Amino acid sequence: MTSAEEVKRDELTGFLKVLPPVEFSCVYGSTLHPNNRDESSMVDYILGVSDPLQWHSENLKLNRDHYASWMVHVGGAKLITEIADEIGVGVHFNPFVTWNNKMLKYGVVRMHDLLQDVLKWDRFYLSGRLQKPVHILLDNLDIENANSSNLRAAVSASLLLLPHEFSEEDLYAKICSLSYMGDLRMLFAEDRNKVKKIVQGQFSLFQSMYKPFLEDYETKNMIRFSSCSVHKANICQDINLSTTCSLVSLLPQAMRNQMGMKLGEQKRIAESGRVVCDVKISSREEAAKCMQKVLRRTVMMSSARQAVSGFLTTGGLNAVRYLGKKMAKAWKSRT
């Protein structure tokens, strides 16, 4: 790590000192763009805590101004946690927090919920964020290691949706787009070039994240690198039914369960002696279409729930302010 990176890390970690203790913390978004020189851009944090109710109770004593005033007076930490869990997808966001001359947004999630989403894709919300480059500041429970299965699954899902030949940039763009499939914000409140900008702006970070998995898939003859140009590879993949079944088997259990409900299941005896159910696959196209449909529905439900939760918890003024910024970017990308 260079001295400049150490300074940046210390700067980002400094914010955690004004909050109650957390188990996990990472920064994501445009802050990680190597060429980002915009000091006014919002810094986005994900904070994992063991008990959100207790954490918000303590944070309200330390940083009451981070929360919408109506929530502080009406229900406090209990209401904040209930809205996140019952209406949203388990994450409470505090946007437009000013600290050290920077604008911040931080999302607070229960560690159990974060781990479940990373491993199972049951909500495909924070798991989608962690498929893109993030800067981990604190990781007491080794979420980074657990996230390996999330990254592997992202590669598998993306390969199912890609043709026989594609570029390395195409692969990262497909991975990046998974969490936007069905996202209601993409209809009117997101930059239509968002995926392209994320991948091109953080290409080397994507490469370092996914290199071990691509090398593993190459060893298993599922893909091969056909040529390289300016450090960007062209890739060919095996699209036969056997490889398709292998890719589906590497998807999280929740995804496979839903695909099995639509396509049917077949039982087999695993090497361990257990009876396992595999998704019945008759063609690659059918499997890809089914997976995409399941993923789109999951993202749509989560994005809708989180949008309602966010509107309630940030207060009307902040919600309109945040949406206005998003829509301005979206409008600019369409002109």
Side-chain angles (χ1 to χ4, degrees):
M1 186 180 294
T2 66
S3 57
E5 289 173 331
E6 288 179 357
V7 170
K8 181 75 170 178
R9 181 184 177 84
D10 290 344
E11 191 177 285
L12 294 170
T13 306
F15 176 60
L16 302 181
K17 296 176 182 177
V18 306
L19 302 172
V22 301
E23 298 289 343
F24 172 82
S25 174
C26 72
V27 174
Y28 65 94
S30 59
T31 303
L32 301 180
H33 194 304
N35 298 319
N36 181 27
R37 298 292 182 267
D38 184 4
E39 293 295 324
S40 65
S41 61
M42 191 178 293
V43 182
D44 299 293
Y45 288 79
I46 295 172
L47 307 177
V49 303
S50 57
D51 184 348
L53 178 60
Q54 180 182 346
W55 192 91
H56 287 300
S57 296
E58 294 176 15
N59 198 37
L60 281 167
K61 297 174 184 176
L62 298 171
N63 302 293
R64 179 178 290 254
D65 58 320
H66 290 184
Y67 298 83
S69 58
W70 81 269
M71 293 204 72
V72 174
H73 294 107
V74 173
K78 188 173 187 295
L79 182 61
I80 291 166
T81 306
E82 286 178 349
I83 289 178
D85 289 342
E86 304 301 327
I87 297 177
V89 291
V91 190
H92 170 83
F93 282 100
N94 281 333
F96 301 111
V97 173
T98 303
W99 177 80
N100 201 23
N101 297 319
K102 289 186 178 297
M103 191 70 76
L104 313 175
K105 178 181 76 176
Y106 62 92
V108 181
V109 62
R110 185 180 288 102
M111 287 299 297
H112 176 266
D113 293 343
L114 174 60
L115 190 59
Q116 289 297 298
D117 199 32
V118 163
L119 296 177
K120 296 185 177 181
W121 289 13
D122 52 353
R123 290 170 172 170
F124 203 67
Y125 189 72
L126 292 181
S127 51
R129 294 217 193 287
L130 292 176
Q131 288 168 358
K132 306 173 189 68
V134 297
H135 188 157
I136 294 178
L137 304 173
L138 180 67
D139 190 8
N140 291 341
L141 300 182
D142 205 8
I143 291 294
E144 184 174 19
N145 183 52
N147 195 48
S148 294
S149 63
N150 181 32
L151 302 184
R152 184 181 295 277
V155 174
S156 299
S158 299
L159 288 175
L160 277 172
L161 299 174
L162 287 166
H164 173 56
E165 295 184 29
F166 51 91
S167 69
E168 191 177 3
E169 187 171 318
D170 291 335
L171 173 61
Y172 301 146
K174 187 62 68 176
I175 290 172
C176 189
S177 70
L178 294 177
S179 61
Y180 296 125
M181 290 180 183
D183 190 332
L184 299 177
R185 296 172 304 169
M186 297 303 292
L187 299 176
F188 62 93
E190 287 288 4
D191 183 346
R192 61 165 51 176
N193 300 313
K194 183 169 186 172
V195 169
K196 183 178 180 180
K197 289 178 179 178
I198 290 173
V199 173
Q200 291 183 348
Q202 304 178 38
F203 190 83
S204 61
L205 297 178
F206 274 99
Q207 281 186 313
S208 60
M209 278 180 75
Y210 287 100
K211 182 180 179 182
F213 307 103
L214 296 181
E215 289 178 342
D216 181 46
Y217 281 29
E218 184 181 29
T219 300
K220 294 175 179 176
N221 297 317
M222 297 169 74
I223 64 170
R224 69 178 186 275
F225 296 94
S226 57
S227 62
C228 293
S229 58
V230 197
H231 307 297
K232 296 182 181 180
N234 290 319
I235 303 170
C236 294
Q237 67 167 323
D238 190 341
I239 57 173
N240 64 31
L241 199 58
S242 175
T243 301
T244 299
C245 291
S246 295
L247 291 174
V248 171
S249 72
L250 292 168
L251 297 175
Q253 186 67 52
M255 285 289 295
R256 285 184 279 126
N257 288 346
Q258 292 185 64
M259 290 177 69
M261 291 172 63
K262 295 178 182 296
L263 300 178
E265 294 180 332
Q266 51 193 15
K267 295 181 180 180
R268 64 178 174 85
I269 306 297
E271 291 181 2
S272 62
R274 292 189 306 110
V275 176
V276 296
C277 293
D278 293 329
V279 180
K280 191 179 293 182
I281 299 170
S282 57
S283 72
R284 184 183 181 87
E285 293 72 22
E286 181 185 59
K289 187 176 180 180
C290 180
M291 184 206 67
Q292 190 171 31
K293 189 173 181 179
V294 169
L295 199 54
R296 181 177 285 116
R297 176 173 172 77
T298 303
V299 173
M300 184 179 294
M301 293 295 292
S302 291
S303 67
R305 289 178 60 181
Q306 192 59 36
V308 175
S309 171
F311 186 83
L312 291 172
T313 57
T314 60
L317 187 60
N318 270 340
V320 171
R321 183 183 176 192
Y322 182 69
L323 184 60
K325 283 180 173 288
K326 288 285 187 181
M327 291 185 70
K329 285 185 178 180
W331 179 256
K332 187 177 180 181
S333 72
R334 287 165 168 76
T335 56

